[in-house]
Amino acid sequence: MGRFTVILAAAASLGGLASAGPGAAEWASRSIYQVMIDRFARSDGSSEECTDIDGYCGGTWTGLINKLDYIQGMGFTAVQISPVVENIREDTGYGEAYHGYWSNNMYGINENFGTAGDLSHLSQALHDRDMYLMVDVVINNMAQAIDGSMPDQTIDYSQLQPFNDERYYHEYCNITDYDNDEIAQQCWLGVTNVALPDLDTESQEVTDMIGTWITGLVANYSIDGLRIDAAKHVNNEYLPPFVEAAGVFTFGEIFSGVVDNVCKYQRDNLISGLPNFPVYFPLIQAFTAGDMEGLSEMISDVNDGCTDTSVLGTFAENHDLPRFASLVPDLALAKNAIAFTILADGIPTMYQGQEQHMPGNYSPYNRAPLWSGSESGTPYDTSAPLYNLTATLNALRNHAISIDSRYVSNHSIELFLDPSTMATRKGPDGVQIVAVFSNQGERGGEYELSVGPSAYEIGTEVIEVFSCTRSNANEAGNVTALMGAGEPKAFFPTAQMEGSGLCGYASNAEAATNTSSGAEPSATNGAAIAADVRWGTALLGVMGALAFWLL
Ligand SMILES: *[C@@H]1O[C@H](CO)[C@@H](O)[C@H](O)[C@H]1NC(C)=O
Ligand SMILES: *[C@@H]1O[C@H](CO)[C@@H](O)[C@H](O)[C@H]1NC(C)=O
Ligand SMILES: *[C@@H]1O[C@H](CO)[C@@H](O)[C@H](O)[C@H]1NC(C)=O
Ligand SMILES: *[C@@H]1O[C@H](CO)[C@@H](O)[C@H](O)[C@H]1NC(C)=O
Ligand SMILES: *[C@@H]1O[C@H](CO)[C@@H](O)[C@H](O)[C@H]1NC(C)=O
Ligand SMILES: *[C@@H]1O[C@H](CO)[C@@H](O)[C@H](O)[C@H]1NC(C)=O
């Protein structure tokens, strides 16, 4: 925190433009919903099918503004959006730039998504709801459509802004080994159909220009946080000045399952926020392939390797990865993956459509429009089971944080582990959430699982928030989870439920507007409750898009 304050002061004194946006501590308490603008909602809310999934489908910033109730209804307190700047217009061998990763003018905006005014309105609309805006940015390369492959093609550098000369770029080379940092950082991510001229990020001129640009972008649209696409593909020294010029919390996409490859960015003070790719891979293994122990081991390795797990983004899906439902259709497993995402250490990050159990195993099928994606056939179905589950989990986490902000930095500890079950406790005494994750699936049997010891003080009454059943911690401080059908469980002290908006207890916002407020729980509308939640957590995912397009 101290360091962040210093960085802000430095940024402010440099340009005077850098906004004093929320820092890592604020973001750590948030919960992030990731939106791919073209695929989230059209301005008129229409749900006609998109006929060309490699092209623009019509989603806009205004469409997102109109659907913020849908996101806030799940308890999210931040939204991450796909890149906003002007992209190449060609329909290339890889389709159109609907995803936003093919910038050709960093000072223009992508008019397919709306006007600069619309983007400002989106920022304002989020802030009016006390939600944060995170914007995805590409700072490794620019883009130009080509008819074939490099090096047989000519790049017209004058078409690229503001880097309009060959001197701003690395000389052409193809990435032949993604695990070799030198090659991955010096060579071009795109070499066929769409060339991605690689910025000479070692040059001071490029570093200064990118800094000026991001200071302006953050200030012009009151952006609260950034995701740096393909952060693994730029040299380390390029990152700290960029983050400083941005003046806001930043997630850097380091697409690697190796703890050290990712955690070294925190240890070396290059960037504090990182999507948790090391945990992502065993998380998927735990809930699709039965390897709960692997997840447990990785959690412990990341605790040892990283300096601050509270700003790692926990996720089970993003726009570059196979959707969970494409790996295994079982709904109970999908519920556990989401429960882990939201209740583990770190900033929960969910990708649009995960709450509708959307399928799609690779690009562009993992980016199908949300409006055509619900299993029920009703677009934006707020009664979908995973929508309800997500709303419950975010409400619980937001509530725990609102009572005691130390919840965020308190480390989750493992209370129980067997090949099909993991139970954890997170949070200081009194606001601890005890969670039980299962990978038995919908056909899992019914049994009682005692979880402890010292999950709670002896005798404490707790509520299991999915079933709203009450029980008391036993003489060892254990709680008993009534397992069945592979469902996850989450417990919270009954004495602290007021204000949660769960199990009949009013939300804080509702209680505040009730002049005759009493202590009795009242029946409440889940969506309205979650929509009023004031506290939350946060963030997500990164890179693969470029690499995947090349494949
Ligand atoms: C670039 O390298 C990849 C291996 O990373 C290879 O598959 C591809 O054919 C190469 N493309 C060109 C144009 O050299
Ligand atoms: C931000 O706004 C200023 C003033 O209109 C403009 O000069 C600058 O180019 C803008 N920066 C970006 C990145 O849009
Ligand atoms: C989390 O809270 C528990 C109970 O108050 C405490 O014993 C533990 O030291 C805390 N852990 C951290 C990392 O703050
Ligand atoms: C408490 O739970 C643990 C497993 O998490 C179990 O080993 C132990 O027997 C339980 N103790 C009691 C008294 O329930
Ligand atoms: C408002 O207060 C009344 C009277 O104390 C109580 O019965 C009711 O449950 C409260 N409603 C909410 C939403 O808190
Ligand atoms: C989940 O659905 C149940 C049953 O419809 C409802 O009572 C509850 O309020 C919903 N929970 C949330 C958090 O929306």
Side-chain angles (χ1 to χ4, degrees):
M1 267 234 283
R3 194 172 75 245
F4 190 76
T5 311
V6 171
I7 288 172
L8 281 184
S13 68
L14 280 178
L17 265 177
S19 67
E26 284 81 11
W27 273 95
S29 70
R30 297 274 159 164
S31 185
I32 301 173
Y33 185 78
Q34 182 197 351
V35 167
M36 181 166 271
I37 290 294
D38 183 61
R39 305 298 161 93
F40 183 75
R42 296 182 176 126
S43 295
D44 63 3
S46 72
S47 52
E48 274 158 59
E49 200 186 327
C50 176
T51 46
D52 177 11
I53 199 177
D54 285 313
Y56 282 99
C57 288
T60 61
W61 295 315
T62 297
L64 172 56
I65 294 171
N66 295 339
K67 288 269 182 281
L68 287 179
D69 281 350
Y70 174 84
I71 298 174
Q72 202 176 23
M74 281 180 278
F76 289 104
T77 48
V79 176
Q80 175 194 325
I81 62 170
S82 51
V84 300
V85 306
E86 186 174 340
N87 272 220
I88 62 170
R89 289 160 200 265
E90 288 87 349
D91 190 359
T92 74
Y94 293 144
E96 293 176 311
Y98 69 87
H99 37 70
Y101 293 102
W102 293 340
S103 333
N104 64 351
N105 177 9
M106 299 179 84
Y107 280 89
I109 55 147
N110 190 329
E111 290 175 358
N112 289 279
F113 305 146
T115 64
D118 295 339
L119 182 54
S120 292
H121 286 147
L122 170 61
S123 179
Q124 188 61 51
L126 284 165
H127 294 155
D128 287 348
R129 291 167 184 257
D130 195 17
M131 294 171 80
Y132 287 167
L133 171 65
M134 174 174 279
V135 173
D136 200 348
V137 293
V138 179
I139 61 170
N140 170 67
N141 55 264
M142 298 296 285
Q144 193 156 103
I146 52 176
D147 283 323
S149 286
M150 296 298 291
D152 309 329
Q153 305 287 316
T154 313
I155 304 295
D156 179 359
Y157 291 96
S158 72
Q159 299 298 305
L160 306 176
Q161 296 298 338
F163 302 105
N164 59 0
D165 191 282
E166 190 167 1
R167 78 171 189 279
Y168 297 122
Y169 297 87
H170 288 141
E171 216 171 286
Y172 169 78
C173 55
N174 183 18
I175 301 183
T176 47
D177 179 2
Y178 278 85
D179 293 328
N180 179 317
D181 280 351
E182 180 86 9
I183 294 177
Q185 295 179 1
Q186 297 288 318
C187 295
W188 294 22
L189 269 170
V191 299
T192 301
N193 294 330
V194 180
L196 300 178
D198 204 67
L199 287 165
D200 178 10
T201 53
E202 288 81 7
S203 125
Q204 190 61 46
E205 201 179 1
V206 168
T207 305
D208 290 346
M209 284 166 74
I210 207 86
T212 301
W213 167 74
I214 197 60
T215 302
L217 192 80
V218 165
N220 291 1
Y221 300 104
S222 302
I223 294 167
D224 305 298
L226 301 170
R227 168 196 183 260
I228 303 179
D229 183 65
K232 183 171 175 270
H233 292 268
V234 299
N235 57 306
N236 294 351
E237 296 70 24
Y238 181 60
L239 291 170
F242 177 81
V243 174
E244 182 173 318
V248 293
F249 176 70
T250 306
F251 259 143
E253 181 198 30
I254 308 299
F255 198 129
S256 168
V258 179
V259 175
D260 196 55
N261 289 354
V262 174
C263 291
K264 72 180 180 200
Y265 284 82
Q266 274 193 343
R267 287 203 311 268
D268 297 347
N269 288 330
L270 299 176
I271 194 161
S272 60
L274 299 155
N276 200 336
F277 276 97
V279 159
Y280 163 75
F281 296 100
L283 187 169
I284 294 299
Q285 290 300 303
F287 296 112
T288 65
D291 184 11
M292 201 64 99
E293 274 117 347
L295 177 58
S296 167
E297 277 165 32
M298 182 56 86
I299 292 168
S300 150
D301 290 351
V302 170
N303 276 335
D304 292 344
C306 276
T307 48
D308 184 359
T309 54
S310 75
V311 288
L312 301 179
T314 314
F315 63 97
E317 291 190 12
N318 74 23
H319 60 294
D320 294 323
L321 299 166
R323 285 194 180 271
F324 192 86
S326 74
L327 301 171
V328 52
D330 187 291
L331 193 63
L333 292 173
K335 287 181 179 179
N336 280 279
I338 291 174
F340 180 84
T341 299
I342 296 178
L343 299 182
D345 287 342
I347 307 176
T349 308
M350 268 175 67
Y351 174 44
Q352 69 173 56
Q354 194 175 350
E355 72 282 3
Q356 299 294 342
H357 208 216
M358 283 176 71
N361 53 355
Y362 58 94
S363 169
Y365 305 103
N366 53 3
R367 302 168 178 183
L370 180 59
W371 57 81
S372 59
S374 49
E375 289 190 314
S376 64
T378 306
Y380 308 100
D381 186 359
T382 55
S383 63
L386 297 181
Y387 183 99
N388 185 281
L389 177 99
T390 303
T392 304
L393 288 160
N394 270 326
L396 181 64
R397 180 176 184 270
N398 292 340
H399 181 59
I401 295 167
S402 77
I403 301 173
D404 190 336
S405 60
R406 290 175 304 166
Y407 174 86
V408 170
S409 56
N410 191 273
H411 279 172
S412 176
I413 55 168
E414 190 176 283
L415 295 175
F416 179 83
L417 180 72
D418 75 12
S420 72
T421 328
M422 177 164 56
T424 58
R425 174 220 149 115
K426 179 174 169 64
D429 289 337
V431 297
Q432 70 266 51
I433 296 172
V434 169
V436 186
F437 310 108
S438 166
N439 63 19
Q440 297 186 357
E442 286 166 356
R443 293 181 356 196
E446 288 188 9
Y447 63 103
E448 292 188 359
L449 180 69
S450 183
V451 172
S454 303
Y456 293 95
E457 297 253 313
I458 295 165
T460 305
E461 187 184 286
V462 293
I463 290 191
E464 198 288 308
V465 301
F466 298 121
S467 60
C468 298
T469 52
R470 295 162 190 242
S471 63
N472 293 84
N474 73 9
E475 71 281 4
N478 281 29
V479 290
T480 302
L482 306 176
M483 304 302 291
E487 296 270 334
K489 304 290 165 189
F491 297 90
F492 199 67
T494 307
Q496 297 279 21
M497 285 294 286
E498 200 60 55
S500 65
L502 296 170
C503 295
Y505 290 88
S507 69
N508 276 326
E510 280 172 335
T513 56
N514 189 350
T515 47
S516 57
S517 184
E520 285 304 299
S522 59
T524 50
N525 171 293
I529 292 165
D532 283 332
V533 164
R534 297 279 162 87
W535 302 85
T537 61
L539 168 53
L540 150 39
V542 182
M543 124 130 212
L546 296 173
F548 277 68
W549 300 327
L550 297 174
L551 296 175

